[in-house]
Amino acid sequence: MGVGKSTVGAMVAERLGCSYRDTDDDIVAEQGRTIADIFVDEGEPAFRAIEKRAVRKALAEHDGVLALGGGAILDADTRALLAGEPVVYLSMDVEEAVKRTGLNTARPLLAVNPRRQWRELMEARRHLYTDVAHAVVATDGRTPEEVAQAVLDALELKTASPGGQPPDPRQEDEWQTR
């Protein structure tokens, strides 16, 4: 939550010359209401079922950068689907989370004592993130641009040319200097 997945994901997609998609946005569009409203109206188990379907659909349909909600990893089937994908876990510590989000109550899982709840969520989830991730990129103290570049570096991906086309492998040295 608040790690910058949407901002960084869009930047990485742009640099790779591909599309970006966020399953949280898919859920909001499909349901016609916010994620917080789904949590309040139907509860977390119902939201997680909706989220699981959204992730499965996005992985089947989308060929680009895909951002998942922080709790998507809780589902074993989702983790299995991600096993063959180049997954990056964007990490941050609680102090950075406070700076970025203020740990406000608009996030349904942080409604009461948000600092403690954030820590507990991360303690419960961190091993799931790292088990699935091919790379872990710390976001603390970094700009979104720096994080996006760190993601590309971690996955050893080449950026697209200014026209959006993948680099010509015959000119690889030229692309590494741009």
Side-chain angles (χ1 to χ4, degrees), residues 8-21 62-66 152 157-161 163-166:
V8 170
M11 287 178 166
V12 169
E14 181 180 339
R15 291 179 186 187
L16 291 173
C18 65
S19 61
Y20 168 76
R21 183 170 174 174
H62 183 71
D63 187 26
V65 176
L66 180 63
L152 293 167
L157 296 173
K158 303 285 185 236
T159 57
S161 68
Q165 297 300 313

Side-chain angles (χ1 to χ4, degrees), residues 3-147:
V3 75
K5 70 178 176 66
S6 298
T7 301
V8 170
M11 287 178 166
V12 169
E14 181 180 339
R15 291 179 186 187
L16 291 173
C18 65
S19 61
Y20 168 76
R21 183 170 174 174
D22 187 323
T23 58
D24 284 351
D25 293 342
D26 291 350
I27 292 167
V28 170
E30 178 189 288
Q31 296 292 311
R33 54 196 169 142
T34 67
I35 290 172
D37 286 344
I38 297 168
F39 265 81
V40 169
D41 295 344
E42 298 183 40
E44 185 175 359
F47 172 76
R48 294 297 174 209
I50 293 166
E51 181 178 53
K52 179 179 178 175
R53 288 191 305 271
V55 171
R56 180 177 298 278
K57 181 178 180 185
L59 285 169
E61 294 176 355
H62 183 71
D63 187 26
V65 176
L66 180 63
L68 307 182
I73 201 76
L74 297 172
D75 181 74
D77 293 336
T78 298
R79 290 193 306 274
L81 286 173
L82 294 172
E85 303 294 333
V87 175
V88 176
Y89 162 39
L90 299 179
S91 70
M92 72 177 167
D93 66 21
V94 71
E95 297 311 317
E96 187 76 9
V98 169
K99 282 188 237 174
R100 292 184 189 186
T101 68
L103 294 180
N104 62 48
T105 56
R107 299 181 183 274
L109 292 178
L110 301 178
V112 179
N113 195 345
R115 190 181 292 253
R116 187 188 82 228
Q117 287 180 303
W118 188 91
R119 281 191 180 109
E120 289 173 2
L121 279 174
M122 288 311 301
E123 287 172 16
R125 294 178 179 180
R126 186 172 285 116
H127 74 282
L128 299 174
Y129 295 144
T130 57
D131 286 350
V132 172
H134 288 78
V136 177
V137 173
T139 64
D140 303 286
R142 289 175 148 171
T143 66
E145 292 81 7
E146 291 168 332
V147 174

